Amino acid sequence: MDIAQLRKEIDSLDSKIVELLNERAKIVLKIGEIKKQNRAQVYVPNREREVYLRITSQNKGPLTNDCLMAVYRELMAGSLVLEKAIK
């Protein structure tokens, strides 16, 4: 394989990642609506810790746990903004 072909594979994976991230965000919006109806707290630190533990325990590399946690930190920050916007 050459670099061009490998980059096409990356582009294809990036498209799938974007699609999956937006599917995740749609679920976040549903959770936000339920929290709003129940007047529940938007930010739940325990849930954030659960996510970090789950992703790091599933990580088989080559990305480090720190790298994945940084990605998820940004993802969850964006999700929190979506949930707060519902209020």
Side-chain angles (χ1 to χ4, degrees):
M1 274 193 185
D2 64 359
I3 290 177
Q5 182 58 38
L6 292 170
R7 286 182 175 156
K8 284 181 184 179
E9 285 187 37
I10 287 175
D11 292 347
S12 175
L13 289 169
D14 285 344
S15 294
K16 291 174 187 175
I17 290 168
V18 169
E19 184 178 332
L20 289 171
L21 289 174
N22 280 305
E23 282 182 41
R24 187 184 194 281
K26 289 174 186 175
I27 295 170
V28 166
L29 289 170
K30 290 177 184 178
I31 290 170
E33 287 294 337
I34 292 168
K35 286 180 180 179
K36 180 181 176 185
Q37 291 170 4
N38 296 330
R39 296 182 181 178
Q41 185 177 355
V42 173
Y43 176 64
V44 182
N46 287 341
R47 174 61 182 151
E48 188 172 343
R49 279 190 291 278
E50 288 173 6
V51 171
Y52 291 143
L53 286 172
R54 183 177 42 77
I55 64 163
T56 55
S57 70
Q58 294 173 349
N59 185 22
K60 292 178 177 38
L63 292 176
T64 65
N65 285 344
D66 287 342
C67 178
L68 285 179
M69 286 180 62
V71 169
Y72 271 81
R73 212 174 355 265
E74 288 298 317
L75 179 58
M76 288 190 286
S79 296
L80 187 59
V81 169
L82 288 175
E83 282 190 65
K84 284 186 176 182
I86 292 171
K87 287 203 165 216

Tab-separated table of all heavy atoms in Angstrom, residues 29-68:
chain	number	residue	atom	x	y	z
A	29	LEU	N	-28.394	14.325	23.861
A	29	LEU	CA	-29.535	15.240	23.858
A	29	LEU	C	-30.764	14.592	24.492
A	29	LEU	O	-31.499	15.239	25.246
A	29	LEU	CB	-29.850	15.702	22.435
A	29	LEU	CG	-28.835	16.658	21.821
A	29	LEU	CD1	-29.118	16.862	20.339
A	29	LEU	CD2	-28.840	17.991	22.563
A	30	LYS	N	-30.978	13.316	24.210
A	30	LYS	CA	-32.103	12.605	24.829
A	30	LYS	C	-31.923	12.520	26.341
A	30	LYS	O	-32.876	12.722	27.098
A	30	LYS	CB	-32.237	11.200	24.239
A	30	LYS	CG	-32.714	11.180	22.804
A	30	LYS	CD	-32.752	9.763	22.255
A	30	LYS	CE	-33.134	9.757	20.787
A	30	LYS	NZ	-33.136	8.396	20.232
A	31	ILE	N	-30.704	12.228	26.770
A	31	ILE	CA	-30.416	12.180	28.206
A	31	ILE	C	-30.647	13.557	28.830
A	31	ILE	O	-31.226	13.667	29.914
A	31	ILE	CB	-28.974	11.689	28.461
A	31	ILE	CG1	-28.865	10.207	28.106
A	31	ILE	CG2	-28.548	11.940	29.905
A	31	ILE	CD1	-27.447	9.679	28.092
A	32	GLY	N	-30.233	14.588	28.126
A	32	GLY	CA	-30.443	15.958	28.617
A	32	GLY	C	-31.912	16.277	28.808
A	32	GLY	O	-32.299	16.932	29.781
A	33	GLU	N	-32.731	15.831	27.888
A	33	GLU	CA	-34.180	16.052	28.014
A	33	GLU	C	-34.739	15.332	29.244
A	33	GLU	O	-35.556	15.882	29.976
A	33	GLU	CB	-34.907	15.583	26.751
A	33	GLU	CG	-34.724	16.481	25.549
A	33	GLU	CD	-35.348	17.863	25.719
A	33	GLU	OE1	-36.276	18.025	26.542
A	33	GLU	OE2	-34.886	18.781	25.027
A	34	ILE	N	-34.300	14.110	29.459
A	34	ILE	CA	-34.761	13.349	30.627
A	34	ILE	C	-34.298	14.034	31.908
A	34	ILE	O	-35.073	14.169	32.874
A	34	ILE	CB	-34.261	11.887	30.553
A	34	ILE	CG1	-34.943	11.166	29.395
A	34	ILE	CG2	-34.507	11.153	31.876
A	34	ILE	CD1	-34.332	9.813	29.050
A	35	LYS	N	-33.046	14.494	31.937
A	35	LYS	CA	-32.533	15.198	33.113
A	35	LYS	C	-33.344	16.461	33.366
A	35	LYS	O	-33.640	16.795	34.513
A	35	LYS	CB	-31.063	15.548	32.936
A	35	LYS	CG	-30.136	14.367	33.068
A	35	LYS	CD	-28.695	14.818	32.879
A	35	LYS	CE	-27.709	13.686	33.000
A	35	LYS	NZ	-26.328	14.149	32.778
A	36	LYS	N	-33.688	17.161	32.291
A	36	LYS	CA	-34.481	18.386	32.436
A	36	LYS	C	-35.844	18.066	33.037
A	36	LYS	O	-36.309	18.741	33.959
A	36	LYS	CB	-34.648	19.070	31.080
A	36	LYS	CG	-35.458	20.346	31.136
A	36	LYS	CD	-35.606	20.949	29.752
A	36	LYS	CE	-36.508	22.164	29.803
A	36	LYS	NZ	-36.761	22.697	28.473
A	37	GLN	N	-36.501	17.037	32.530
A	37	GLN	CA	-37.819	16.641	33.043
A	37	GLN	C	-37.745	16.243	34.510
A	37	GLN	O	-38.661	16.524	35.281
A	37	GLN	CB	-38.382	15.477	32.225
A	37	GLN	CG	-38.756	15.842	30.811
A	37	GLN	CD	-39.071	14.609	29.965
A	37	GLN	OE1	-39.084	13.485	30.445
A	37	GLN	NE2	-39.318	14.843	28.671
A	38	ASN	N	-36.663	15.596	34.877
A	38	ASN	CA	-36.500	15.128	36.256
A	38	ASN	C	-35.782	16.141	37.151
A	38	ASN	O	-35.514	15.846	38.315
A	38	ASN	CB	-35.729	13.799	36.275
A	38	ASN	CG	-36.492	12.699	35.595
A	38	ASN	OD1	-37.713	12.684	35.578
A	38	ASN	ND2	-35.768	11.753	35.014
A	39	ARG	N	-35.437	17.277	36.559
A	39	ARG	CA	-34.685	18.319	37.264
A	39	ARG	C	-33.418	17.757	37.886
A	39	ARG	O	-33.060	18.074	39.023
A	39	ARG	CB	-35.562	18.998	38.304
A	39	ARG	CG	-36.718	19.717	37.644
A	39	ARG	CD	-37.571	20.418	38.598
A	39	ARG	NE	-38.646	21.042	37.804
A	39	ARG	CZ	-39.608	21.718	38.301
A	39	ARG	NH1	-39.692	21.898	39.587
A	39	ARG	NH2	-40.529	22.240	37.530
A	40	ALA	N	-32.772	16.902	37.132
A	40	ALA	CA	-31.540	16.258	37.589
A	40	ALA	C	-30.337	17.123	37.229
A	40	ALA	O	-30.379	17.965	36.334
A	40	ALA	CB	-31.403	14.882	36.950
A	41	GLN	N	-29.267	16.871	37.929
A	41	GLN	CA	-28.006	17.565	37.704
A	41	GLN	C	-27.476	17.220	36.317
A	41	GLN	O	-27.499	16.054	35.905
A	41	GLN	CB	-27.018	17.136	38.781
A	41	GLN	CG	-25.703	17.843	38.753
A	41	GLN	CD	-24.805	17.393	39.905
A	41	GLN	OE1	-25.210	16.625	40.772
A	41	GLN	NE2	-23.582	17.869	39.901
A	42	VAL	N	-26.998	18.236	35.595
A	42	VAL	CA	-26.471	18.015	34.247
A	42	VAL	C	-25.115	17.315	34.311
A	42	VAL	O	-24.900	16.319	33.638
A	42	VAL	CB	-26.360	19.347	33.468
A	42	VAL	CG1	-25.647	19.146	32.135
A	42	VAL	CG2	-27.739	19.948	33.238
A	43	TYR	N	-24.221	17.839	35.127
A	43	TYR	CA	-22.879	17.262	35.226
A	43	TYR	C	-22.846	16.226	36.336
A	43	TYR	O	-23.184	16.508	37.486
A	43	TYR	CB	-21.837	18.352	35.497
A	43	TYR	CG	-20.448	17.814	35.696
A	43	TYR	CD1	-19.781	17.161	34.660
A	43	TYR	CD2	-19.800	17.949	36.913
A	43	TYR	CE1	-18.501	16.655	34.837
A	43	TYR	CE2	-18.516	17.446	37.094
A	43	TYR	CZ	-17.877	16.812	36.059
A	43	TYR	OH	-16.616	16.306	36.238
A	44	VAL	N	-22.446	15.007	35.974
A	44	VAL	CA	-22.370	13.910	36.938
A	44	VAL	C	-20.935	13.377	36.922
A	44	VAL	O	-20.569	12.581	36.042
A	44	VAL	CB	-23.381	12.796	36.585
A	44	VAL	CG1	-23.334	11.681	37.610
A	44	VAL	CG2	-24.790	13.374	36.457
A	45	PRO	N	-20.114	13.817	37.887
A	45	PRO	CA	-18.698	13.410	37.902
A	45	PRO	C	-18.493	11.900	37.918
A	45	PRO	O	-17.560	11.399	37.274
A	45	PRO	CB	-18.144	14.049	39.178
A	45	PRO	CG	-19.089	15.153	39.505
A	45	PRO	CD	-20.433	14.729	38.989
A	46	ASN	N	-19.332	11.173	38.624
A	46	ASN	CA	-19.163	9.716	38.673
A	46	ASN	C	-19.294	9.091	37.293
A	46	ASN	O	-18.588	8.147	36.959
A	46	ASN	CB	-20.173	9.076	39.630
A	46	ASN	CG	-19.838	9.338	41.072
A	46	ASN	OD1	-18.707	9.681	41.417
A	46	ASN	ND2	-20.818	9.187	41.935
A	47	ARG	N	-20.213	9.607	36.496
A	47	ARG	CA	-20.394	9.077	35.142
A	47	ARG	C	-19.148	9.332	34.305
A	47	ARG	O	-18.698	8.470	33.543
A	47	ARG	CB	-21.634	9.698	34.489
A	47	ARG	CG	-21.826	9.316	33.043
A	47	ARG	CD	-22.013	7.827	32.851
A	47	ARG	NE	-22.146	7.524	31.435
A	47	ARG	CZ	-21.798	6.395	30.866
A	47	ARG	NH1	-21.323	5.400	31.575
A	47	ARG	NH2	-21.932	6.218	29.570
A	48	GLU	N	-18.567	10.510	34.466
A	48	GLU	CA	-17.343	10.830	33.731
A	48	GLU	C	-16.234	9.843	34.102
A	48	GLU	O	-15.540	9.314	33.225
A	48	GLU	CB	-16.913	12.266	34.044
A	48	GLU	CG	-15.769	12.742	33.191
A	48	GLU	CD	-15.481	14.223	33.368
A	48	GLU	OE1	-16.340	14.959	33.904
A	48	GLU	OE2	-14.393	14.635	32.964
A	49	ARG	N	-16.076	9.569	35.382
A	49	ARG	CA	-15.066	8.601	35.820
A	49	ARG	C	-15.344	7.211	35.236
A	49	ARG	O	-14.426	6.506	34.822
A	49	ARG	CB	-15.017	8.533	37.349
A	49	ARG	CG	-14.211	9.659	37.964
A	49	ARG	CD	-13.968	9.442	39.443
A	49	ARG	NE	-15.168	9.558	40.260
A	49	ARG	CZ	-15.686	10.700	40.692
A	49	ARG	NH1	-15.100	11.844	40.373
A	49	ARG	NH2	-16.769	10.715	41.429
A	50	GLU	N	-16.619	6.822	35.209
A	50	GLU	CA	-16.991	5.521	34.631
A	50	GLU	C	-16.562	5.425	33.171
A	50	GLU	O	-16.052	4.390	32.730
A	50	GLU	CB	-18.503	5.299	34.712
A	50	GLU	CG	-19.034	5.016	36.079
A	50	GLU	CD	-20.563	4.983	36.101
A	50	GLU	OE1	-21.202	5.068	35.019
A	50	GLU	OE2	-21.110	4.889	37.212
A	51	VAL	N	-16.790	6.498	32.434
A	51	VAL	CA	-16.418	6.508	31.010
A	51	VAL	C	-14.907	6.354	30.864
A	51	VAL	O	-14.425	5.544	30.061
A	51	VAL	CB	-16.919	7.783	30.304
A	51	VAL	CG1	-16.346	7.898	28.886
A	51	VAL	CG2	-18.444	7.809	30.257
A	52	TYR	N	-14.142	7.119	31.645
A	52	TYR	CA	-12.682	7.023	31.573
A	52	TYR	C	-12.203	5.612	31.910
A	52	TYR	O	-11.336	5.058	31.235
A	52	TYR	CB	-12.014	8.026	32.508
A	52	TYR	CG	-12.163	9.465	32.093
A	52	TYR	CD1	-12.330	10.458	33.047
A	52	TYR	CD2	-12.131	9.847	30.755
A	52	TYR	CE1	-12.462	11.790	32.681
A	52	TYR	CE2	-12.266	11.173	30.382
A	52	TYR	CZ	-12.426	12.145	31.358
A	52	TYR	OH	-12.555	13.456	31.001
A	53	LEU	N	-12.765	5.035	32.952
A	53	LEU	CA	-12.363	3.675	33.332
A	53	LEU	C	-12.697	2.665	32.237
A	53	LEU	O	-11.901	1.775	31.926
A	53	LEU	CB	-13.038	3.266	34.641
A	53	LEU	CG	-12.477	3.914	35.904
A	53	LEU	CD1	-13.364	3.583	37.111
A	53	LEU	CD2	-11.050	3.454	36.159
A	54	ARG	N	-13.875	2.829	31.638
A	54	ARG	CA	-14.292	1.900	30.585
A	54	ARG	C	-13.387	1.999	29.369
A	54	ARG	O	-12.901	0.994	28.850
A	54	ARG	CB	-15.749	2.144	30.193
A	54	ARG	CG	-16.270	1.176	29.147
A	54	ARG	CD	-17.735	1.389	28.829
A	54	ARG	NE	-18.143	2.775	28.716
A	54	ARG	CZ	-17.904	3.554	27.648
A	54	ARG	NH1	-17.282	3.078	26.591
A	54	ARG	NH2	-18.324	4.809	27.625
A	55	ILE	N	-13.136	3.226	28.904
A	55	ILE	CA	-12.329	3.362	27.684
A	55	ILE	C	-10.883	2.943	27.903
A	55	ILE	O	-10.277	2.348	27.023
A	55	ILE	CB	-12.408	4.773	27.064
A	55	ILE	CG1	-11.833	5.825	27.993
A	55	ILE	CG2	-13.818	5.109	26.621
A	55	ILE	CD1	-11.495	7.137	27.331
A	56	THR	N	-10.337	3.238	29.079
A	56	THR	CA	-8.947	2.851	29.313
A	56	THR	C	-8.819	1.342	29.514
A	56	THR	O	-7.818	0.757	29.117
A	56	THR	CB	-8.330	3.608	30.503
A	56	THR	OG1	-9.130	3.419	31.678
A	56	THR	CG2	-8.221	5.092	30.193
A	57	SER	N	-9.837	0.728	30.073
A	57	SER	CA	-9.763	-0.733	30.243
A	57	SER	C	-9.934	-1.460	28.908
A	57	SER	O	-9.448	-2.579	28.744
A	57	SER	CB	-10.808	-1.213	31.253
A	57	SER	OG	-12.117	-1.089	30.732
A	58	GLN	N	-10.600	-0.831	27.953
A	58	GLN	CA	-10.787	-1.434	26.631
A	58	GLN	C	-9.635	-1.133	25.676
A	58	GLN	O	-9.514	-1.770	24.631
A	58	GLN	CB	-12.086	-0.931	26.001
A	58	GLN	CG	-13.324	-1.381	26.727
A	58	GLN	CD	-14.591	-0.728	26.172
A	58	GLN	OE1	-14.542	0.207	25.390
A	58	GLN	NE2	-15.731	-1.240	26.603
A	59	ASN	N	-8.799	-0.178	26.033
A	59	ASN	CA	-7.736	0.254	25.141
A	59	ASN	C	-6.662	-0.817	24.981
A	59	ASN	O	-6.091	-1.292	25.937
A	59	ASN	CB	-7.102	1.536	25.694
A	59	ASN	CG	-6.067	2.103	24.757
A	59	ASN	OD1	-6.081	1.830	23.561
A	59	ASN	ND2	-5.160	2.896	25.296
A	60	LYS	N	-6.417	-1.185	23.738
A	60	LYS	CA	-5.376	-2.157	23.414
A	60	LYS	C	-4.234	-1.501	22.617
A	60	LYS	O	-3.395	-2.187	22.059
A	60	LYS	CB	-5.977	-3.323	22.636
A	60	LYS	CG	-6.924	-4.171	23.475
A	60	LYS	CD	-7.526	-5.288	22.666
A	60	LYS	CE	-8.419	-6.222	23.408
A	60	LYS	NZ	-9.282	-5.720	24.408
A	61	GLY	N	-4.271	-0.153	22.527
A	61	GLY	CA	-3.197	0.565	21.845
A	61	GLY	C	-3.345	0.538	20.339
A	61	GLY	O	-4.223	-0.128	19.829
A	62	PRO	N	-2.521	1.228	19.645
A	62	PRO	CA	-1.292	1.882	20.088
A	62	PRO	C	-1.485	3.232	20.767
A	62	PRO	O	-0.539	3.778	21.330
A	62	PRO	CB	-0.486	2.039	18.808
A	62	PRO	CG	-1.501	2.191	17.725
A	62	PRO	CD	-2.672	1.326	18.182
A	63	LEU	N	-2.707	3.798	20.740
A	63	LEU	CA	-2.917	5.062	21.449
A	63	LEU	C	-2.781	4.827	22.946
A	63	LEU	O	-3.219	3.801	23.468
A	63	LEU	CB	-4.309	5.632	21.146
A	63	LEU	CG	-4.555	6.120	19.727
A	63	LEU	CD1	-6.005	6.563	19.569
A	63	LEU	CD2	-3.620	7.261	19.374
A	64	THR	N	-2.206	5.803	23.629
A	64	THR	CA	-2.072	5.688	25.083
A	64	THR	C	-3.408	6.017	25.752
A	64	THR	O	-4.281	6.669	25.155
A	64	THR	CB	-1.012	6.660	25.618
A	64	THR	OG1	-1.461	8.008	25.390
A	64	THR	CG2	0.352	6.432	24.959
A	65	ASN	N	-3.542	5.585	26.993
A	65	ASN	CA	-4.735	5.934	27.763
A	65	ASN	C	-4.863	7.448	27.917
A	65	ASN	O	-5.965	7.986	27.851
A	65	ASN	CB	-4.705	5.262	29.138
A	65	ASN	CG	-5.020	3.785	29.070
A	65	ASN	OD1	-5.542	3.295	28.067
A	65	ASN	ND2	-4.696	3.067	30.117
A	66	ASP	N	-3.726	8.124	28.120
A	66	ASP	CA	-3.762	9.586	28.246
A	66	ASP	C	-4.315	10.234	26.985
A	66	ASP	O	-5.089	11.191	27.057
A	66	ASP	CB	-2.370	10.145	28.544
A	66	ASP	CG	-1.909	9.873	29.967
A	66	ASP	OD1	-2.778	9.568	30.832
A	66	ASP	OD2	-0.696	9.968	30.222
A	67	CYS	N	-3.939	9.712	25.832
A	67	CYS	CA	-4.436	10.242	24.564
A	67	CYS	C	-5.946	10.045	24.463
A	67	CYS	O	-6.682	10.977	24.125
A	67	CYS	CB	-3.716	9.571	23.403
A	67	CYS	SG	-4.294	10.110	21.785
A	68	LEU	N	-6.413	8.835	24.751
A	68	LEU	CA	-7.853	8.569	24.685
A	68	LEU	C	-8.621	9.407	25.704
A	68	LEU	O	-9.706	9.915	25.400
A	68	LEU	CB	-8.131	7.086	24.921
A	68	LEU	CG	-7.805	6.162	23.754
A	68	LEU	CD1	-8.095	4.721	24.133
A	68	LEU	CD2	-8.579	6.547	22.515
